[in-house]
């Protein structure tokens, strides 16, 4: 019988998330992960199999936490446009308020490894698709309630919105002028 684990998996994943988010997958060393999580190399590999295995867990955790926050705003009070605007303003506030300019971990993963790592690409695509489906449903509900024009294709509108949303996450890493980012928001919402 093996020794029982003496650490909290969720806390380790959250600590590792901070390292991967700040440094990227390739630039993160096992030593970085050990220092941040407080685990030895053996414990880290026994628990997660590999650096990549831990990264996959980090991406799943990021997706769950992120979607929870997105869903809270999408399901909140206000009109469809108000909720979609609130979602985009929230990421503008988050990104402009982050001195490290980390952006979105999922976007970073897509850019860093998405084209060469099928597992990462699949995880990120699932996250993006889940968000798209939630936005599409909000837009379709808005049509049923008379808030969104009936000639708008909810799927196309959701895809445009999601593209603008994730584009904001990229722009937020380099653009410091809030008005530029808010123009993206208004442009995305004008279609509705």
């Amino acid at each position: 019988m093996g020794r029982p684990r003496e650490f909290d998996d969720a806390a380790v994943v959250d600590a590792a998330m901070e390292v991967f988010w700040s440094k990227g997958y390739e630039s993160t060393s096992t030593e970085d992960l050990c220092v941040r999580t407080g685990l030895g190399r053996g414990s880290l590999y026994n628990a997660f199999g590999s650096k990549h295995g831990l990264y996959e867990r980090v991406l799943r955790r990021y997706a769950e936490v992120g979607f929870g926050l997105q869903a809270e705003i999408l399901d909140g009070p206000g009109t469809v446009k108000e909720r979609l605007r609130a979602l985009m303003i929230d990421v503008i506030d988050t990104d402009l308020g982050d001195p490290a300019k980390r952006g979105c971990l999922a976007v970073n993963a897509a850019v860093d490894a998405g084209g060469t790592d099928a597992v990462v690409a699949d995880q990120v695509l699932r996250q993006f698709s889940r968000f798209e489906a939630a936005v599409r449903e909000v837009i379709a509900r808005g049509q049923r309630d008379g808030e969104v024009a009936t000639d708008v294709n909810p799927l196309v509108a959701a895809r445009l919105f999601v593209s603008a949303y994730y584009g904001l996450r990229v722009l937020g890493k380099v653009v410091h002028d809030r008005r530029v980012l808010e123009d993206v928001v208004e442009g995305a919402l004008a279609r509705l």
Side-chain angles (χ1 to χ4, degrees):
M1 182 166 127
R3 256 177 41 195
R5 285 194 189 168
E6 297 178 9
F7 59 87
D8 177 5
D9 277 8
V12 170
V13 171
D14 287 346
M17 183 187 309
E18 293 301 319
V19 179
F20 285 126
W21 202 351
S22 296
K23 298 184 85 171
Y25 177 77
E26 290 298 328
S27 296
T28 296
S29 69
T30 304
E31 182 62 25
D32 294 330
L33 294 168
C34 290
V35 167
R36 184 64 189 239
T37 63
L39 295 180
R41 186 180 300 265
S43 294
L44 202 63
Y45 283 112
N46 285 337
F48 301 100
S50 65
K51 174 181 153 181
H52 197 274
L54 178 54
Y55 189 57
E56 291 174 39
R57 286 278 300 274
V58 161
L59 291 174
R60 283 194 300 274
R61 172 90 173 127
Y62 182 82
E64 285 307 309
V65 170
F67 186 76
L69 297 171
Q70 292 166 337
E72 189 176 306
I73 294 171
L74 287 173
D75 294 337
T79 66
V80 169
K81 283 187 180 182
E82 288 168 346
R83 288 180 280 152
L84 293 175
R85 181 178 288 108
L87 194 59
M88 292 179 110
I89 295 299
D90 182 64
V91 297
I92 291 172
D93 292 341
T94 298
D95 289 342
L96 290 179
D98 181 5
K101 299 292 182 199
R102 295 178 304 168
C104 173
L105 180 59
V107 170
N108 297 348
V111 171
D112 290 343
T116 58
D117 186 324
V119 173
V120 169
D122 185 57
Q123 275 193 261
V124 172
L125 182 58
R126 278 196 311 269
Q127 179 179 347
F128 291 175
S129 297
R130 183 179 184 191
F131 180 48
E132 176 188 289
V135 171
R136 186 192 61 69
E137 178 53 35
V138 166
I139 293 169
R141 237 183 359 237
Q143 284 182 314
R144 289 190 298 272
D145 295 343
E147 291 181 45
V148 176
T150 56
D151 65 340
V152 171
N153 180 320
L155 179 59
V156 172
R159 288 179 173 161
L160 174 64
F161 178 85
V162 168
S163 294
Y165 177 88
Y166 286 117
L168 274 176
R169 301 309 309 264
V170 173
L171 287 172
K173 292 179 79 146
V174 295
V175 173
H176 306 293
D177 185 344
R178 184 179 187 88
R179 289 174 306 175
V180 171
L181 302 174
E182 289 174 347
D183 285 348
V184 173
V185 175
E186 295 312 314
L189 295 176
R191 178 75 174 98
L192 299 177

